[in-house]
Amino acid sequence: MEILSPEAIVKSFKTVLGDSLVQSRIYEREVAVKKNLFRAIWIYVKREAFRRAVEHICELQEYPHLAIISSADLGDRVELIYHFTLYYGYHLQELSLGLRISLAKNDLKIPTITDIIPGALFTERETQEMMGVEVVGIPDNRRLFLPEDFPQGVYPWRTDETGPQDMLRVLPGRQKKYGSG
Amino acid sequence: MAVDETKTRYTIPVGPIHPALKEPIRLDLSIDGEEIVDVDVVVGQVHRGIEWLGMNRNNPIQNIYLAERVCGICNICHPFAYVMAVEQAAGITPPERAEYIRVIIAEMERIHSHLLWAGVAAHEIGFDSVFYLVWRVREEIMDLIEYVTGNRVTKAMFQIGGVRRDITEEQFGRIRQSLDYYKSIFDQLRTVFLDDRTIRMRTRNVGILKTEDALKLLAVGPTGRASGVPKDVRQDQPYGGYADLDIKAITPDMLTGTVVGDVYDRIVVRLLEVKQAIEIIERCLDEMPSGPLLVEQKAAKLLNMLTKAEGEGIGRAEAPRGEVVHYVRLEAGRETLSNWKIRAPTYVNLMAIPAILKGGQIADVPIAFASIDPCMSCTNRAIVVDSKTRNKSLLSDRELHELSVEKTKRLEAQFDS
């Protein structure tokens, strides 16, 4: 396996994904006394190219580490970031790679990647129940953290009307801080 | 079904009461006789919504203390990863001396956490004299932590852009004294854990996680390394003072020459990591750079700076149990974080639990489950359901523990005869 520089990785994504690569950013910071570089890459792809991008990450390192999927409610869109790490096992060579996908609120669907990375199951289940993003083809459709009696159609990480605002407890003597009413 | 007529299959839900875990857990074990044929992991019984609080209630500085309370044992690595993420997002570079102090307290945490685990692991197999020994030995590092940080548990050492307290030259002597104590007893601990026949019988070839499974299921920390995955954030990614120290991920073949991926290997990895932690602290004391501790002394000014900042960052730190990841996004003009996501190591290690337990025996569940170090606690209670009659009987933690102790005694008796 060849260890590529962040610039070369971004270039390889451009070659593989073409126009589907919307944006990319490289972050570098010097650390401690010897000034070794902490490096992170942020890559923003269109949803159509998402699976191809994950496959490409697997080409860069056979078993890339998927740390977590983070998601953010940005009003009319939901943004998912798949946080990968590449080149673990090599001294000071590891890179953080954030794969960013933006989904329209009226079409919250993302294909599963559990067939490529089986360990992605927990975080996909969590994203599904907490953000209301449907993971198409997920092998285990159950909830992960939310209890079975939690109401359907309420997603704790949303900030719109499907969020948990109406479930928040208001302490006596306080005003309701969030949500409607 | 035909199978049920000839064989009685049981489903044993283990848990969910699990006081030391962030997320108390239930393991639904399908049992065929003594053998575990399938495992389902059910989590989320005490999801506290810490990330939500960080995005809606607390400001970024208050979040440091919230991050510290994600886990009682990992109360250094969570704020460590969190402040790194915020520093990235806001473009702050912490001073060199602070980076070294962060490493020293993180390694102290590793020593106490691994010793805590070693004690509980001994207790799980009914070897309580070792449990008492290890926990007595652990008090030394707890005293040292209290001496350095002022507290045994939540240490409040971290601040965005540095650390809040210094470790001064006068304190070095006391720190070295504790490290020397551990070096003097290390061989004894090693003999107890690696050469003792009871421990070997109960841990060798128990709860095996193959290298390929560890890679596919994203196992991290000692769980992954014991299966031969050389993944250690301290080695892989430059962060804190670790970037200067040439750290090497510890895999069991360094000591035994082979990788089995069983409970015994996880003991080997943790034991060697205690030694490694001692060496790291010593090097940090030797090479500690001078200089300031904080980029910005005044919290109000820092908060103002963070409110104006715009950006995102990812912080990774190697906790005693594996990689902790914090993702943070700051939005200009917003007092709270606009996004915060925490990934604790047990989150991914739990996915390896079915692979570890399958094919094992009920009596091995306590030690095999504890071997991933899911914040120490073990099986609290289990309900045995007869699938034909739906009769429930309660198997308490004590009974399950006794099953485990009986197995140790049985194996010893076999060995003696």
Side-chain angles (χ1 to χ4, degrees):
Chain A
M1 189 190 74
E2 192 192 352
I3 292 181
L4 300 174
S5 68
E7 291 79 14
I9 290 174
V10 170
K11 214 178 144 194
S12 73
F13 270 100
K14 269 184 196 143
T15 321
V16 171
L17 303 178
D19 289 343
S20 301
L21 177 73
V22 181
Q23 213 180 351
S24 65
R25 184 166 68 86
I26 296 169
Y27 173 88
E28 285 183 347
R29 182 168 76 88
E30 290 177 343
V31 177
V33 180
K34 288 187 185 166
K35 307 293 174 207
N36 288 299
L37 283 180
F38 170 91
R39 295 168 303 172
I41 309 174
W42 303 93
I43 285 188
Y44 185 175
V45 301
K46 289 182 184 159
R47 182 172 60 184
E48 308 85 81
F50 164 65
R51 292 256 321 176
R52 183 71 194 93
V54 176
E55 281 161 17
H56 181 60
I57 293 169
C58 294
E59 286 159 13
L60 295 170
Q61 182 169 23
E62 194 186 356
Y63 294 104
H65 183 76
L66 171 66
I68 193 79
I69 306 169
S70 75
S71 47
D73 184 346
L74 303 177
D76 57 342
R77 303 187 77 81
V78 166
E79 187 184 79
L80 303 179
I81 306 177
Y82 286 64
H83 298 278
F84 288 92
T85 46
L86 277 175
Y87 306 144
Y88 56 83
Y90 298 88
H91 188 234
L92 302 185
Q93 295 296 318
E94 193 178 48
L95 296 163
S96 291
L97 196 157
L99 186 65
R100 188 190 303 263
I101 307 105
S102 181
L103 306 171
K105 272 265 173 80
N106 56 15
D107 185 25
L108 288 177
K109 281 180 186 162
I110 191 88
T112 178
I113 56 165
T114 45
D115 51 332
I116 310 171
I117 302 170
L121 183 61
F122 267 24
T123 184
E124 283 189 351
R125 279 169 69 185
E126 192 189 15
T127 307
Q128 190 162 264
E129 64 176 3
M130 294 289 189
M131 197 41 110
V133 175
E134 188 192 334
V135 181
V136 180
I138 190 168
D140 184 350
N141 208 16
R142 293 173 303 165
R143 282 174 168 173
L144 183 68
F145 290 120
L146 293 182
E148 283 160 21
D149 57 355
F150 194 82
Q152 295 287 337
V154 177
Y155 305 109
W157 290 349
R158 291 273 197 95
T159 53
D160 57 13
E161 68 284 352
T162 59
Q165 283 79 0
D166 293 334
M167 300 173 76
L168 300 180
R169 191 172 50 173
V170 183
L171 295 172
R174 296 271 182 91
Q175 290 293 314
K176 198 168 181 180
K177 203 171 168 186
Y178 311 100
S180 54
Chain B
M1 286 203 296
V3 179
D4 284 336
E5 282 163 22
T6 51
K7 280 183 182 172
T8 313
R9 279 217 177 165
Y10 294 99
T11 306
I12 305 186
V14 177
I17 306 302
H18 237 282
L21 262 170
K22 290 177 293 301
E23 299 126 359
I25 190 166
R26 197 176 89 218
L27 301 173
D28 284 345
L29 310 173
S30 298
I31 307 291
D32 185 353
E34 278 283 306
E35 197 191 324
I36 298 161
V37 287
D38 201 8
V39 183
D40 185 24
V41 180
V42 184
V43 293
Q45 288 84 355
V46 184
H47 193 280
R48 291 170 294 168
I50 282 192
E51 293 145 326
W52 193 91
L53 287 178
M55 290 187 268
N56 292 285
R57 190 189 73 182
N58 289 10
N59 67 41
I61 294 177
Q62 290 169 331
N63 275 349
I64 302 171
Y65 308 101
L66 198 56
E68 213 166 80
R69 282 151 182 82
V70 168
C71 171
I73 300 167
C74 305
N75 55 57
I76 288 295
C77 52
H78 276 288
F80 199 160
Y82 170 73
V83 296
M84 280 196 294
V86 177
E87 282 161 4
Q88 258 181 55
I92 300 169
T93 305
E96 288 162 2
R97 191 177 176 87
E99 301 266 44
Y100 275 69
I101 292 172
R102 286 175 178 184
V103 167
I104 292 173
I105 47 174
E107 290 308 305
M108 285 180 184
E109 175 178 272
R110 193 175 319 278
I111 296 174
H112 102 72
S113 174
H114 281 353
L115 290 176
L116 186 102
W117 177 82
V120 174
H123 173 69
E124 298 302 355
I125 58 172
F127 204 161
D128 278 353
S129 47
V130 172
F131 160 57
Y132 299 138
L133 170 82
V134 176
W135 276 36
R136 196 199 69 209
V137 162
R138 177 175 170 264
E139 278 307 301
E140 179 67 29
I141 192 74
M142 297 309 284
D143 287 347
L144 182 65
I145 288 171
E146 189 181 353
Y147 172 73
V148 172
T149 68
N151 209 351
R152 278 165 68 96
V153 184
T154 41
K155 293 124 190 163
M157 281 291 273
F158 282 84
Q159 174 63 294
I160 293 158
V163 288
R164 294 178 61 230
R165 286 182 211 94
D166 197 5
I167 298 178
T168 56
E169 292 281 344
E170 297 90 74
Q171 291 175 307
F172 285 12
R174 173 68 183 80
I175 296 172
R176 283 185 207 278
Q177 182 196 322
S178 287
L179 298 180
D180 288 342
Y181 166 72
Y182 280 114
K183 282 196 277 187
S184 72
I185 59 155
F186 184 79
D187 281 338
Q188 193 191 348
L189 280 179
R190 185 182 148 158
T191 313
V192 166
F193 277 97
L194 300 185
D195 301 339
D196 184 89
R197 80 159 200 253
T198 310
I199 292 181
R200 189 180 277 267
M201 280 190 300
R202 285 304 308 277
T203 57
R204 241 323 169 207
N205 299 315
V206 170
I208 295 177
L209 180 66
K210 293 192 199 87
T211 311
E212 208 194 334
D213 285 342
L215 284 165
K216 278 185 183 161
L217 299 170
L218 313 175
V220 293
T223 311
R225 289 195 283 278
S227 297
V229 182
K231 179 174 163 50
D232 186 327
V233 189
R234 297 173 298 164
Q235 162 195 270
D236 301 335
Q237 171 200 267
Y239 80 100
Y242 294 117
D244 297 345
L245 298 174
D246 297 324
I247 288 157
K248 199 159 172 17
I250 286 177
T251 45
D253 50 322
M254 286 168 150
L255 189 78
T256 59
T258 53
V259 173
V260 185
D262 56 5
V263 178
Y264 186 82
D265 276 357
R266 281 167 220 140
I267 298 177
V268 171
V269 168
R270 290 201 177 90
L271 199 68
L272 293 182
E273 281 184 9
V274 170
K275 199 176 179 195
Q276 189 188 32
I278 295 169
E279 287 160 6
I280 291 172
I281 297 174
E282 283 183 332
R283 278 200 60 187
C284 283
L285 294 179
D286 290 341
E287 297 171 17
M288 180 109 85
S290 56
L293 297 176
L294 282 168
V295 168
E296 176 52 64
Q297 295 276 350
K298 295 192 176 84
K301 242 175 146 181
L302 180 67
L303 198 58
N304 189 21
M305 201 159 104
L306 293 171
T307 311
K308 284 179 193 154
E310 172 112 28
E312 60 187 340
I314 183 143
R316 293 162 186 278
E318 184 73 20
R321 287 157 193 77
E323 176 195 58
V324 165
V325 181
H326 281 236
Y327 168 77
V328 161
R329 189 186 314 188
L330 297 174
E331 219 174 87
R334 186 174 160 154
E335 272 182 49
T336 57
L337 302 176
S338 89
N339 202 349
W340 188 18
K341 184 82 196 100
I342 307 172
R343 205 290 312 272
T346 305
Y347 188 105
V348 274
N349 282 343
L350 282 177
M351 279 183 286
I353 279 295
I356 286 173
L357 294 182
K358 259 184 218 174
Q361 295 185 339
I362 307 174
D364 289 330
V365 169
I367 182 64
F369 183 58
S371 75
I372 70 158
D373 196 359
C375 289
M376 278 312 134
S377 93
C378 186
T379 330
N380 243 21
R381 68 189 170 89
I383 303 169
V384 182
V385 186
D386 189 317
S387 59
K388 274 195 293 190
T389 60
R390 306 297 297 173
N391 277 343
K392 285 187 181 179
S393 61
L394 209 66
L395 202 64
S396 70
D397 57 342
R398 180 169 294 176
E399 285 162 323
L400 197 60
H401 179 65
E402 276 165 6
L403 263 178
S404 182
V405 175
E406 266 169 37
K407 182 169 176 184
T408 303
K409 286 185 181 152
R410 199 167 64 232
L411 283 171
E412 281 193 320
Q414 279 170 11
F415 192 86
D416 288 336
S417 61

